[in-house]
């Protein structure tokens, strides 16, 4: 089992920045891919960004150039630096971790971009 605990969400004005963190704990040897997904009411979760154990990254088109994902393998933690935030970035952001053939989700953290 893997538990994921997210932090760092909140209310921010357009153009502002936030940093999300997600710490994994539990019984596992290593986490393969860690990532962030965003979900708004009535829509499916969409990939925001993910990162492999070796550092290979993948971003959703809408966040390229504004968001940066990183991870600390020693701490089993993934981060999402969100800059130049727009109102359309408003969503619940969920952390995801792939361990072996299993996929685990955090409880989600709300990010609201509004003036």
């Amino acid at each position: 089992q893997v538990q994921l605990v997210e932090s760092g969400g909140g209310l921010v004005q357009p153009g502002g920045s936030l940093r999300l963190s997600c710490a994994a704990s539990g019984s596992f040897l290593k986490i393969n891919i860690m990532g962030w997904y965003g979900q708004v009411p009535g829509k499916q979760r969409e990939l925001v960004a993910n990162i492999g154990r070796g550092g290979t990254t993948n971003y959703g088109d809408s966040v390229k150039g504004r968001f940066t994902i990183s991870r600390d393998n020693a701490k089993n933690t993934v981060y999402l630096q969100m800059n130049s935030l727009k109102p359309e970035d408003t969503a619940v952001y969920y952390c995801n971790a792939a361990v072996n053939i299993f996929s685990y989700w955090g409880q989600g953290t709300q990010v609201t971009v509004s003036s």
Side-chain angles (χ1 to χ4, degrees):
Q1 275 291 62
V2 177
Q3 293 80 43
L4 301 174
V5 178
E6 300 125 331
S7 61
L11 173 64
V12 64
Q13 292 187 341
S17 298
L18 282 175
R19 189 190 194 212
L20 306 182
S21 299
C22 172
S25 62
S27 300
F28 56 87
L29 291 178
K30 63 179 182 179
I31 301 174
N32 297 322
I33 297 174
M34 300 188 79
W36 292 93
Y37 288 73
Q39 187 171 27
V40 297
K43 293 190 176 182
Q44 291 185 335
R45 289 181 192 180
E46 294 185 344
L47 175 69
V48 175
N50 62 23
I51 182 168
R53 188 169 181 82
T56 300
T57 58
N58 184 35
Y59 293 92
D61 287 342
S62 65
V63 306
K64 288 179 180 177
R66 299 188 297 122
F67 292 9
T68 302
I69 191 169
S70 60
R71 67 187 283 176
D72 184 331
N73 291 331
K75 296 181 179 179
N76 293 313
T77 299
V78 64
Y79 307 95
L80 185 69
Q81 179 65 44
M82 311 166 70
N83 297 329
S84 302
L85 282 159
K86 304 175 181 180
E88 50 264 43
D89 295 320
T90 296
V92 178
Y93 285 74
Y94 293 91
C95 178
N96 176 266
V99 179
N100 296 324
I101 62 171
F102 301 104
S103 181
Y104 298 91
W105 294 93
Q107 80 284 357
T109 184
Q110 176 71 45
V111 171
T112 302
V113 184
S114 176
S115 55

